[in-house]
Amino acid sequence: MEVNKGKTQIEAVQKDIWAPEYFGDNPDLYNVHEVKRLVHLAPVEKVLNMARAHSIWPLGFGLACCAIEGLMAAQGPRYDLSRFGYEVLRNTARQADVMLVAGTVTTKAADFVVRLWEQMSEPKWCMAIGGCAISGGPFVDSYHVVPGVNKLVPVDVYVPGCPPRPDAVLDAFLMLRAKILDKREYLQRSKGKVVTG
Amino acid sequence: MLRTQEFNINFGPQHPSTHGVFRVVLTMDGERIVRAEPICGYLHRGMEKLAESRTYPQFIPYTDRMDYLAAMLQNWGYVMAVEKLMGIEVPERAEYLRVISGELSRLTSHVLATGVYALDMGGFTGFLLCFREREKMMDLLEELTGSRMTLSYARIGGVAADVPEGWLDKLKKLMDEMPGYIDEYDGLITGNEIFQARTKAVGVLKPETAINYSLSGPVLRGSGVNYDLRKVKSYSIYDRFDFDVPLGENGDCFDRFFCRVREMRQSVRIIQQAIEQIKEIDGPIIAKVPKVLKPPKGEAYEEIESSKGIIGYYVVSDGSNKPYRVHVRRPSFINLGYLDEMLRGYLIADVVAILGSIDIVLGEVDC
Amino acid sequence: MIDNAALVEELRQKFNYIEVNEQSTVIVPKDKLLEFMQALKDDYALDFLTNLTAVDYIDENKFEVIYNINSTAKGYTLMVKTSVDRDNPELPSVFPIWGGANWQEREVYDLLGIVFTGHPNLKRILLDYDYEGHPLRKDFQWKGGRE
């Protein structure tokens, strides 16, 4: 498009959102100020992160088999995710902190997976649970499957398994906690270790 | 005079009560549903096409991922179709192991359906109680097959492994406790006044409509039609067990739910009898089958009673080691086909009750 | 109780246009399909259409459509087949006879591209409405898969 020449990528995207058919061709609307996605104040951030890391609210959104293990059984009485403070399943994306992509993402579903991700407010994290969400799993050859959710959204934690055991999902939550708290030693320790089911 | 008009509401795709990714576009007149358009396919993974590039045994794990709540029953239907195609006789002990693991799978599926239906109706405790027992069954299944949900236990010609030492005793102990647990569900969920008020006389299905629309499983039997393939065809060795087929009377959501709860008791009975009978039977657990399976040219259709209804496998062979075509008759998919007419005239709050009572698994609907 | 062989024998005597192969599958010509199916439902109590699917035989340039019908009252099962030309895949819908054909015919239309005339709502069900091609045809080509 002519209008977007020489502008940064973010502005080009904003141009698409501020479509002229809705907002007229007022030039001011094209030149919106670039908003920093995250405002960093290091000491404050550290305190905030402690709060964030200990009450992650997952988005209650299951795609396939892994949702039974990763969402329901992990919430169930034996594995009991609420021990860590992660049990508040939010059914709307706007209140959630972490999106658990539990299952196969198909091309028909890809649209709304991205839309849900976009609806979530910052800061936000994403977990790919199970082989299908990591790489397409056994369905990678199919004509209707996205080979891995990382083609669509950035992923923080990968949980292998088909489906992973609930313990593996608990471990993934703890790894996410370490990631938010920036505990490198913790992550280093579990490097190369795989808990699967 | 106020002008009134119909409007559309989008139910899903991301909705906690759709048990997966499923979308219904509801056309509403006030709070009443005028029309509903179910849209599925958000989990369509093209398994039938993938089957054409896999060998016969390689397709067994894919069947797990269809109805992942009762994986053994899916495996079983598929291997039965291939066995019919090749004319394989399954050893007696393998049949018993299939019945035991299959009924255990049916129990896990029904327990989850009960708990999740309670959750849909707003009771979290029912969900927690049902998952307590489900974990116990999962442990047993894991010990037997090596996996909690996607079992892949059936093999063409038999089963993968014999029972571990002492496993049958553990199973017997759980099965002896199970009726007590089911009484607990009855007291907590079935007998709950709010639960009954929300499910009785909602989503009424007449028996002739249910037959005409090919509905099966608890949805059909909830309307009072006595059609259970375990009794009608008595495939495998089901004629050796003494069990009843629970039927509903009114065909509403409550009857469909209550059918499931009573079916659990029958499954427990079947497993108890099978444990007694298998002790006297010794022998191989898998028939003699060649390493590379090349069924003769032909086709076979075989159907069994899954936890959701009748699951059928249609397998066509062209003489090579890969199936020419595999088609699955998925009970959830066909049960869902009547959803539009079933929802009409009810309130929007009843959508969750009706959809939950059909007990769909989206992996199976979309395949 | 279940006597499929007798049923098939009776059908062979009554309808002269059907063929029966060695697996007791009834093969009906396309133009007699509706008439035959209606008779099955009315006279033989075959009231439960279990399965409806199709297979693409690309070498013979035809689709075979398979109907599995059960009787809930008498316990019969019957498999009926019919062939349809691959270049002009059109077949009358059995939806007026068995409502269970509703979504199954839509699925066959979606994945194999066989048009069922007389179906009230024949559109894609599993794939997107603007999807191109019919995946279960043997000559279907697709992009994607492992990298």
Side-chain angles (χ1 to χ4, degrees):
Chain A
M1 276 181 279
E2 271 309 302
V3 196
N4 295 329
K5 255 193 184 160
K7 293 196 175 180
T8 59
Q9 204 181 358
I10 289 180
E11 283 173 61
V13 171
Q14 278 170 348
K15 163 68 188 58
D16 284 346
I17 298 169
W18 297 85
E21 56 267 35
Y22 296 118
F23 300 101
D25 41 9
N26 183 352
D28 288 352
L29 290 177
Y30 294 142
N31 304 322
V32 250
H33 295 291
E34 189 186 328
V35 183
K36 276 242 165 86
R37 290 178 79 119
L38 273 174
V39 184
H40 277 289
L41 286 172
V44 184
E45 201 68 20
K46 211 158 193 173
V47 179
L48 283 179
N49 273 345
M50 278 175 76
R52 281 169 189 153
H54 292 96
S55 75
I56 306 169
W57 288 6
L59 173 64
F61 155 61
L63 282 162
C65 351
C66 299
I68 307 286
E69 292 282 80
L71 283 171
M72 291 162 86
Q75 301 278 342
R78 181 186 285 175
Y79 294 98
D80 199 12
L81 204 51
S82 54
R83 281 179 291 166
F84 307 101
Y86 306 148
E87 84 280 20
V88 194
L89 274 187
R90 293 286 99 182
N91 293 324
T92 159
R94 290 179 177 82
Q95 298 170 344
D97 296 320
V98 57
M99 182 161 91
L100 308 179
V101 185
T104 325
V105 184
T106 60
T107 40
K108 193 172 177 179
D111 276 1
F112 81 85
V113 171
V114 174
R115 178 178 297 196
L116 283 174
W117 174 252
E118 296 289 337
Q119 281 177 347
M120 285 167 65
S121 53
E122 292 276 357
K124 57 190 173 184
W125 297 276
C126 176
M127 256 186 218
I129 296 181
C132 295
I134 294 174
S135 67
F139 305 103
V140 64
D141 297 330
S142 172
Y143 52 88
H144 204 238
V145 168
V146 178
V149 74
N150 53 11
K151 303 274 183 299
L152 305 170
V153 298
V155 178
D156 293 282
V157 185
Y158 294 90
V159 192
C162 193
R165 299 174 59 88
D167 346 22
V169 179
L170 292 194
D171 192 44
F173 268 100
L174 296 183
M175 278 167 86
L176 185 63
R177 184 178 73 181
K179 187 170 181 178
I180 297 171
L181 293 174
D182 202 17
K183 279 193 179 167
R184 277 151 206 264
E185 315 87 71
Y186 183 92
L187 295 174
Q188 204 65 40
R189 210 163 48 229
S190 50
K191 199 174 178 183
K193 263 201 275 175
V194 178
V195 188
T196 60
Chain B
M1 188 69 187
L2 280 171
R3 195 173 65 91
T4 62
Q5 67 176 41
E6 293 173 353
F7 61 98
N8 286 342
I9 282 187
N10 207 10
F11 183 88
Q14 189 258 331
H15 187 280
S17 293
T18 53
H19 301 200
V21 196
F22 176 61
R23 183 173 161 211
V24 195
V25 180
L26 302 164
T27 307
M28 311 286 301
D29 176 14
E31 260 194 281
R32 298 240 167 239
I33 295 157
V34 183
R35 245 186 334 277
E37 199 198 344
I39 298 170
C40 55
Y42 289 100
L43 199 53
H44 177 66
R45 297 172 283 196
M47 282 195 212
E48 291 177 3
K49 187 77 182 174
L50 285 173
E52 292 168 11
S53 55
R54 302 284 183 271
T55 60
Y56 284 90
Q58 271 179 347
F59 189 62
I60 296 175
Y62 285 89
T63 60
D64 284 336
R65 278 135 190 102
M66 236 174 272
D67 178 359
Y68 31 80
L69 299 176
M72 179 57 202
L73 296 166
Q74 317 288 309
N75 299 167
W76 194 354
Y78 173 67
V79 296
M80 263 177 82
V82 180
E83 279 156 10
K84 188 179 176 189
L85 200 60
M86 300 183 67
I88 296 174
E89 194 75 27
V90 182
E92 207 176 2
R93 192 171 169 87
E95 292 280 20
Y96 273 101
L97 289 175
R98 282 183 186 184
V99 168
I100 291 176
S101 55
E103 292 300 321
L104 204 55
S105 259
R106 192 190 309 276
L107 268 175
T108 56
S109 168
H110 280 349
V111 163
L112 187 120
T114 310
V116 171
Y117 198 44
L119 190 64
D120 283 349
M121 297 293 106
F124 196 73
T125 324
F127 169 78
L128 285 179
L129 277 191
C130 291
F131 260 76
R132 184 188 61 187
E133 275 77 69
R134 191 163 184 272
E135 292 292 341
K136 291 177 184 167
M137 291 179 226
M138 290 292 214
D139 279 353
L140 289 174
L141 281 175
E142 192 182 0
E143 205 178 327
L144 180 66
T145 68
S147 175
R148 280 163 55 92
M149 270 172 65
T150 44
L151 309 173
S152 296
Y153 183 54
R155 291 288 183 276
I156 293 161
V159 291
D162 209 335
V163 286
E165 188 79 37
W167 189 81
L168 286 173
D169 298 327
K170 282 185 218 165
L171 181 66
K172 188 169 175 1
K173 186 165 167 287
L174 180 65
M175 286 306 123
D176 291 342
E177 292 166 2
M178 211 46 212
Y181 295 136
I182 300 171
D183 286 342
E184 252 180 89
Y185 309 152
D186 269 344
L188 189 80
I189 307 167
T190 321
N192 188 315
E193 206 170 311
I194 303 169
F195 179 81
Q196 293 201 1
R198 279 204 63 182
T199 52
K200 277 196 172 166
V202 170
V204 179
L205 192 60
K206 291 198 187 76
E208 51 277 15
T209 334
I211 293 174
N212 187 23
Y213 272 83
S214 303
L215 311 183
S216 53
V219 183
L220 180 69
R221 292 193 287 274
S223 297
V225 182
N226 190 347
Y227 192 66
D228 187 326
L229 283 185
R230 287 177 293 174
K231 282 276 186 203
V232 176
K233 267 174 56 181
S234 56
Y235 58 90
S236 185
I237 46 165
Y238 272 107
D239 49 352
R240 301 187 194 175
F241 305 114
D242 176 32
F243 66 100
D244 306 323
V245 180
L247 297 177
E249 285 163 11
N250 308 318
D252 52 11
C253 290
F254 180 78
D255 276 357
R256 290 193 277 278
F257 165 81
F258 197 37
C259 258
R260 254 171 230 125
V261 178
R262 285 179 295 166
E263 252 177 45
M264 282 198 255
R265 292 182 197 276
Q266 302 306 326
S267 290
V268 172
R269 271 177 73 190
I270 294 175
I271 295 179
Q272 279 171 337
Q273 293 169 38
I275 294 172
E276 287 308 314
Q277 293 178 18
I278 197 175
K279 282 177 184 161
E280 280 124 45
I281 290 156
D282 230 356
I285 50 155
I286 188 155
K288 280 209 161 53
V289 280
K291 278 249 165 66
V292 179
L293 293 174
K294 282 190 178 170
K297 216 169 170 177
E299 56 189 358
Y301 177 73
E302 197 62 64
E303 53 188 19
I304 68 164
E305 187 76 29
S306 151
S307 61
K308 313 285 182 298
I310 296 169
I311 181 142
Y313 281 83
Y314 176 71
V315 183
V316 183
S317 161
D318 60 350
S320 72
N321 61 348
K322 290 171 185 168
Y324 186 76
R325 170 101 164 85
V326 174
H327 172 77
V328 192
R329 181 237 194 258
R330 288 107 60 200
S332 298
F333 178 72
I334 294 164
N335 288 355
L336 210 51
Y338 191 60
L339 186 71
D340 177 16
E341 282 88 342
M342 217 152 142
L343 288 177
R344 284 182 192 182
Y346 290 102
L347 299 174
I348 187 163
D350 297 333
V351 177
V352 176
I354 293 172
L355 195 60
S357 75
I358 304 177
D359 184 24
I360 50 168
V361 169
L362 263 298
E364 197 184 54
V365 172
D366 298 336
C367 185
Chain C
M1 187 183 86
I2 304 170
D3 203 354
N4 290 329
L7 172 75
V8 171
E9 193 51 44
E10 204 181 323
L11 287 173
R12 201 212 308 255
Q13 309 252 309
K14 189 164 176 202
F15 301 96
N16 51 10
Y17 49 79
I18 63 168
E19 287 173 47
V20 179
N21 71 3
E22 62 275 12
Q23 290 163 330
S24 303
T25 305
V26 176
I27 299 161
V28 188
K30 183 181 142 189
D31 45 337
K32 298 278 190 193
L33 181 75
L34 272 190
E35 181 192 320
F36 180 68
M37 292 299 198
Q38 191 69 52
L40 284 185
K41 188 183 180 184
D42 295 344
D43 306 340
Y44 295 93
L46 286 158
D47 50 0
F48 192 89
L49 177 75
T50 318
N51 181 34
L52 193 166
T53 184
V55 187
D56 178 12
Y57 290 103
I58 192 164
D59 299 335
E60 299 160 50
N61 201 33
K62 67 169 187 186
F63 291 114
E64 249 175 28
V65 183
I66 293 101
Y67 302 85
N68 289 92
I69 314 156
N70 292 2
S71 165
T72 50
K74 298 188 177 168
Y76 300 142
T77 56
L78 185 69
M79 194 197 244
V80 180
K81 277 208 290 198
T82 182
S83 323
V84 54
D85 188 25
R86 210 165 173 282
D87 302 322
N88 179 26
E90 259 191 28
L91 206 64
S93 165
V94 294
F95 176 68
I97 306 173
W98 294 288
N102 183 5
W103 275 28
Q104 306 196 47
E105 283 184 349
R106 279 179 70 184
E107 192 198 0
V108 171
Y109 166 71
D110 191 357
L111 300 179
L112 281 138
I114 299 175
V115 179
F116 291 92
T117 48
H119 191 284
N121 185 23
L122 194 71
K123 55 184 181 186
R124 284 188 181 270
I125 183 163
L126 293 175
L127 303 171
D128 269 330
Y129 294 141
D130 55 355
Y131 196 87
E132 279 174 24
H134 300 284
L136 282 184
R137 289 190 178 190
K138 289 284 174 185
D139 53 359
F140 176 71
Q141 300 283 332
W142 73 93
K143 276 187 275 182
R146 59 186 90 201
E147 289 157 2

